[in-house]
Amino acid sequence: MTTLVTGAAGFIGYHVSRHLLERGDRVVGIDDLNPYYDVGLKTARLEGLRRYDTFAFNRGDIAEEGVLRDATRDEHITHVVHLAAQAGVRHSIDNPHVYARSNVVGHLQVLEYCRHNASLQHLVYASSSSVYGGNTKVPFSEDDRVDTPVSLYAATKRADELMSASYAHLYGFRQTGIRFFTVYGPLGRPDMAYWLFTEAMRRGAPIRLFDAGRGKRDFTYIDDAVKGVLSIHDSPRDASRPAHAIYNIGNNRPEPVGKMVSTLESLLGVKAKIEELPAQPGDMAYTAADIDAIQRDFSFSPDTPLETGLEAFVSWYRDFCG
Ligand SMILES: NC(=O)c1ccc[n+]([C@@H]2O[C@H](COP(=O)([O-])OP(=O)(O)OC[C@H]3O[C@@H](n4cnc5c(N)ncnc54)[C@H](O)[C@@H]3O)[C@@H](O)[C@H]2O)c1
């Protein structure tokens, strides 16, 4: 079994790749190492993956024609975990074209690559809880309508799901989309609130808290998210199920952003200086995952409380950032 992981130098891509390599699988990673955030963090993740003999890496832009084919020319790819994307909700408001290219054209290139790969068994790709946008019914279920995106990022992720549905219909190869809910943890993303807050609090700088920290998030610890991805990745095709399916991966336990701040305060031993700001365009007030479907089909059961996950993050952060 060989898995092509797109976005292998990214946060989730690194962790998924490491777990696959740890158990002896072969992984071919691809990433363009773009400077959206510290490239040093991306290369540090790659260094960790290069310790395994069964890891191969190619630098390239997945949106470019032929890049995926060239990167895997001598490989026998059976699985694809497609995580490369321009992530970050707020950045999509000022930089829409990057999102169209990486998330929409990039997803199409992955679909075309898969459709021409006779040995492919399963494409698992990242969508996002953002697709639930302005929905008010909680928790968010995969069966809910998702046609009220509140950011371009969300619209690109929904477009990916629809393109996948069309390719499953036309060509029948197996695909599973995953709607991730605020994944956090060691080697995480510097543009996300838990990292920005930790960084600012350690410097004694103010943190920007939107809507008085009332917004709730279904924070999902990285190891729980990876367990979910791997159970889906490894599952055999079930002929009674459609070729294309979508699952939420969340913690099923939304917590106020304010609680994340108080947990970081006690882990870091500092009182946060808070700059209060109104809710931001593109932000969702509340995210909560209904995880019944993934629990039922893949026995998924996240078990990391926010306090434990943040403790692991802070401990790694102190080592990495000094
Ligand atoms: N982390 C979360 O909370 C979260 C939540 C919802 C969805 N997601 C989705 O999960 C996936 C992984 O997210 P992440 O948090 O690891 O983000 P990340 O930014 O750390 O990882 C994405 C990686 O993709 C690479 N990349 C971007 N565009 C590329 C391109 N055109 N060609 C090749 N590589 C490219 C980046 O360099 C980066 O290393 C993304 O699709 C993201 O939208 C993440």
Side-chain angles (χ1 to χ4, degrees):
M1 177 189 298
T2 300
T3 301
L4 169 65
V5 177
T6 72
F11 169 41
I12 303 177
Y14 159 77
H15 284 279
V16 167
S17 300
R18 190 174 53 79
H19 279 78
L20 289 168
L21 292 164
E22 194 58 47
R23 69 184 198 189
D25 287 12
R26 178 161 176 78
V27 172
V28 177
I30 186 159
D31 200 298
D32 67 353
L33 302 179
N34 70 66
Y36 166 58
Y37 62 75
D38 180 16
V39 176
L41 175 57
K42 296 182 182 184
T43 51
R45 295 183 186 127
L46 282 181
E47 268 169 41
L49 298 178
R50 284 191 166 117
R51 284 202 285 265
Y52 298 87
D53 295 343
T54 53
F55 180 67
F57 180 73
N58 297 267
R59 183 172 186 174
D61 175 356
I62 57 152
E64 228 169 82
E65 185 72 41
V67 161
L68 291 165
R69 194 186 52 235
D70 293 347
T72 57
R73 198 172 291 287
D74 301 321
E75 304 283 347
H76 183 76
I77 302 293
T78 52
H79 293 71
V80 176
V81 178
H82 169 42
L83 299 162
Q86 180 55 53
V89 169
R90 289 188 191 133
H91 190 65
S92 73
I93 294 170
D94 299 325
N95 299 277
H97 297 291
V98 188
Y99 285 74
R101 180 170 170 80
S102 283
N103 301 9
V104 181
V105 178
H107 191 76
L108 179 62
Q109 296 289 11
V110 170
L111 290 173
E112 276 292 300
Y113 168 80
C114 290
R115 131 169 136 87
H116 292 291
N117 178 353
S119 52
L120 184 87
Q121 294 173 25
H122 196 177
L123 161 63
V124 181
Y125 69 90
S127 181
S128 166
S129 62
S130 302
V131 301
Y132 293 109
N135 286 15
T136 49
K137 176 194 144 287
V138 284
F140 300 143
S141 153
E142 295 89 342
D143 298 330
D144 297 341
R145 286 190 68 154
V146 279
D147 46 17
T148 55
V150 296
S151 66
L152 183 75
Y153 169 69
T156 63
K157 288 294 176 177
R158 182 62 184 140
D160 293 346
E161 294 180 350
L162 295 172
M163 286 194 287
S164 277
S166 74
Y167 267 60
H169 172 76
L170 290 170
Y171 309 111
F173 63 88
R174 184 171 179 220
Q175 300 175 60
T176 306
I178 297 177
R179 293 176 179 167
F180 289 110
F181 283 67
T182 320
V183 186
Y184 73 100
L187 290 99
R189 266 196 11 231
D191 62 331
M192 291 182 75
Y194 66 96
W195 179 304
L196 294 170
F197 290 177
T198 303
E199 188 177 51
M201 285 160 74
R202 290 189 75 210
R203 278 192 289 118
I207 62 169
R208 292 150 55 89
L209 196 61
F210 300 104
D211 197 22
R214 276 188 293 262
K216 283 191 170 183
R217 290 281 173 277
D218 204 335
F219 295 105
T220 314
Y221 187 60
I222 183 67
D223 289 358
D224 288 328
V226 170
K227 262 191 267 166
V229 173
L230 293 190
S231 325
I232 289 174
H233 170 281
D234 295 344
S235 61
R237 184 163 187 168
D238 176 345
S240 67
R241 295 212 193 120
H244 178 234
I246 291 175
Y247 290 93
N248 289 337
I249 285 192
N251 199 36
N252 202 19
R253 212 177 321 164
E255 312 256 26
V257 174
K259 177 172 173 192
M260 180 176 79
V261 174
S262 57
T263 307
L264 288 174
E265 284 180 328
S266 66
L267 288 168
L268 297 167
V270 292
K271 183 92 192 109
K273 293 179 190 146
I274 293 174
E275 182 189 345
E276 300 263 5
L277 292 168
Q280 296 292 288
D283 279 2
M284 291 160 73
Y286 194 96
T287 70
D290 179 336
I291 56 170
D292 286 356
I294 187 168
Q295 254 165 353
R296 180 195 62 223
D297 295 345
F298 299 100
S299 309
F300 175 68
S301 77
D303 56 9
T304 312
L306 183 60
E307 294 81 351
T308 311
L310 285 179
E311 193 178 349
F313 167 70
V314 167
S315 152
W316 167 80
Y317 184 93
R318 284 186 208 276
D319 279 353
F320 188 76
C321 296

